[in-house]
Amino acid sequence: MYWGQGTEGESLYLLIPAAGSGRRMGSDRNKLLLPLLGKPLIAWTLLAAKQSRQIDWIGIVGQPIDWQDFKSVVSDLNLVDSVQFIQGGSTRQESVYQGLQSLPTAAERVLIHDGARCLATPELLDRCSEALRDCPGLIAGIPVKDTIKVVNSSNSVIESTPDRSQLWAAQTPQGFEVAKLLECHQEGIRQGWQVTDDAALFEQCCLPVKVVQGEETNLKVTTPVDLAIAEFILRQRFGAI
Ligand code: C5P
């Protein structure tokens, strides 16, 4: 375990949006608390953060109904002293904004990593943390494999086929200078922008966002089939658990 080892330079702060529900999972509870190979899903996300060399502080953005369960996961992982709980909002965008406002004042750069991406490796978190020391904004991403179509939502007819060689699938971690990201969120509130990731706010404000090579296995667990795939990947990674 590298937890708490620290590195040269400033500390890195990690926010984990975890305030969603289990609607698309068909579950009546937060999907991050569903069991995955004997642990709640969020425990795998936190384990990767714990094993990262670069991260010194973790904020879990959640809903009060889940506090008790999150606290027992954090305690089982011996992370009690390093984790802060922050009240989330009704969208991911709101949850991240609340997380940003709750960062310690010393936080200059922040990584944001969805709790639902429980297969991200510590190496990916470290790669993004390293890269964030040299740029104001970044995301993990991978080139898309499918041909992507833009489809008219009213008649389901294809409008265009973007050049696949320029398309990347956005993942998390996403990392930013805290002050700049806060300004982008505030501008988003003023303008009524609704986005599904933080890079989109940076882009809307004409700030550059670099792409760091992500991981094909870094899927966002959203539906029951994702849970089955995640279990398969973890078994491959760690042997039969
Ligand atoms: O729903 P989806 O999987 O796209 O959400 C991405 C991440 O954002 C999840 O980790 C989820 O817990 C989090 N989220 C949040 N606050 C919300 C909705 C989602 O922190 N209101």
Side-chain angles (χ1 to χ4, degrees), residues 83-119:
V83 168
Q84 187 132 333
F85 294 94
I86 301 157
Q87 161 103 50
S90 61
T91 61
R92 182 189 181 281
Q93 187 174 344
E94 272 180 36
S95 293
V96 172
Y97 184 50
Q98 284 172 209
L100 290 171
Q101 291 172 297
S102 305
L103 284 171
T105 44
E108 289 178 18
R109 286 158 204 271
V110 64
L111 274 190
I112 298 160
H113 181 57
D114 287 348
R117 289 195 188 264
C118 57
L119 300 179

Side-chain angles (χ1 to χ4, degrees), residues 28 30 56 95 109 127 133 152 171 175 187 205 221:
D28 57 4
N30 189 337
D56 303 311
S95 293
R109 286 158 204 271
R127 193 154 68 241
R133 297 184 192 277
N152 183 308
Q171 302 183 338
E187 184 64 11
C205 291
V221 175

Side-chain angles (χ1 to χ4, degrees), residues 1-54:
M1 297 295 170
Y2 302 110
W3 182 259
Q5 189 170 301
T7 48
E8 70 291 344
E10 77 209 42
S11 296
L12 250 163
Y13 296 77
L14 174 68
L15 282 176
I16 300 183
S21 65
R23 195 174 37 83
R24 282 178 293 172
M25 185 61 78
S27 168
D28 57 4
R29 63 195 302 220
N30 189 337
K31 67 184 173 189
L32 302 190
L33 291 167
L34 294 177
L36 173 58
L37 270 193
K39 300 185 209 301
L41 195 148
I42 195 168
W44 295 100
T45 316
L46 286 166
L47 196 56
K50 178 175 174 172
Q51 290 174 334
S52 152
R53 287 169 212 264
Q54 309 268 340

Side-chain angles (χ1 to χ4, degrees), residues 118-130:
C118 57
L119 300 179
T121 63
E123 292 75 26
L124 177 61
L125 289 163
D126 283 339
R127 193 154 68 241
C128 291
S129 304
E130 280 291 342

Side-chain angles (χ1 to χ4, degrees), residues 6-240:
T7 48
E8 70 291 344
E10 77 209 42
S11 296
L12 250 163
Y13 296 77
L14 174 68
L15 282 176
I16 300 183
S21 65
R23 195 174 37 83
R24 282 178 293 172
M25 185 61 78
S27 168
D28 57 4
R29 63 195 302 220
N30 189 337
K31 67 184 173 189
L32 302 190
L33 291 167
L34 294 177
L36 173 58
L37 270 193
K39 300 185 209 301
L41 195 148
I42 195 168
W44 295 100
T45 316
L46 286 166
L47 196 56
K50 178 175 174 172
Q51 290 174 334
S52 152
R53 287 169 212 264
Q54 309 268 340
I55 293 158
D56 303 311
W57 182 99
I58 299 174
I60 299 179
V61 189
Q63 303 292 359
I65 194 173
D66 296 326
W67 288 154
Q68 215 41 55
D69 291 311
F70 283 166
K71 279 184 181 158
S72 76
V73 174
V74 165
S75 157
D76 289 349
L77 290 170
N78 282 325
L79 283 172
V80 174
D81 293 337
S82 319
V83 168
Q84 187 132 333
F85 294 94
I86 301 157
Q87 161 103 50
S90 61
T91 61
R92 182 189 181 281
Q93 187 174 344
E94 272 180 36
S95 293
V96 172
Y97 184 50
Q98 284 172 209
L100 290 171
Q101 291 172 297
S102 305
L103 284 171
T105 44
E108 289 178 18
R109 286 158 204 271
V110 64
L111 274 190
I112 298 160
H113 181 57
D114 287 348
R117 289 195 188 264
C118 57
L119 300 179
T121 63
E123 292 75 26
L124 177 61
L125 289 163
D126 283 339
R127 193 154 68 241
C128 291
S129 304
E130 280 291 342
L132 186 58
R133 297 184 192 277
D134 297 321
C135 66
L138 63 78
I139 68 165
I142 52 169
V144 300
K145 290 183 287 188
D146 294 318
T147 296
I148 305 291
K149 304 289 185 186
V150 177
V151 178
N152 183 308
S153 56
S154 50
N155 62 8
S156 301
V157 172
I158 293 171
E159 287 181 345
S160 63
T161 304
D163 173 8
R164 190 172 65 186
S165 68
Q166 290 198 305
L167 296 179
W168 289 65
Q171 302 183 338
T172 66
Q174 303 199 347
F176 305 91
E177 286 179 16
V178 173
K180 285 200 171 76
L181 186 60
L182 260 171
E183 277 173 31
C184 294
H185 269 267
Q186 282 152 1
E187 184 64 11
I189 292 167
R190 281 192 291 274
Q191 303 287 345
W193 296 333
Q194 288 181 358
V195 296
T196 50
D197 75 353
D198 297 281
L201 292 172
F202 238 57
E203 295 159 45
Q204 296 266 50
C205 291
C206 300
L207 291 168
V209 183
K210 184 178 170 170
V211 179
V212 171
Q213 189 67 42
E215 293 173 334
E216 228 176 287
T217 51
N218 180 20
L219 57 92
K220 181 157 66 76
V221 175
T222 307
T223 60
V225 77
D226 296 327
L227 205 53
I229 295 168
E231 178 167 335
F232 176 81
I233 293 168
L234 286 173
R235 280 189 193 281
Q236 295 285 309
R237 197 177 282 175
F238 296 116

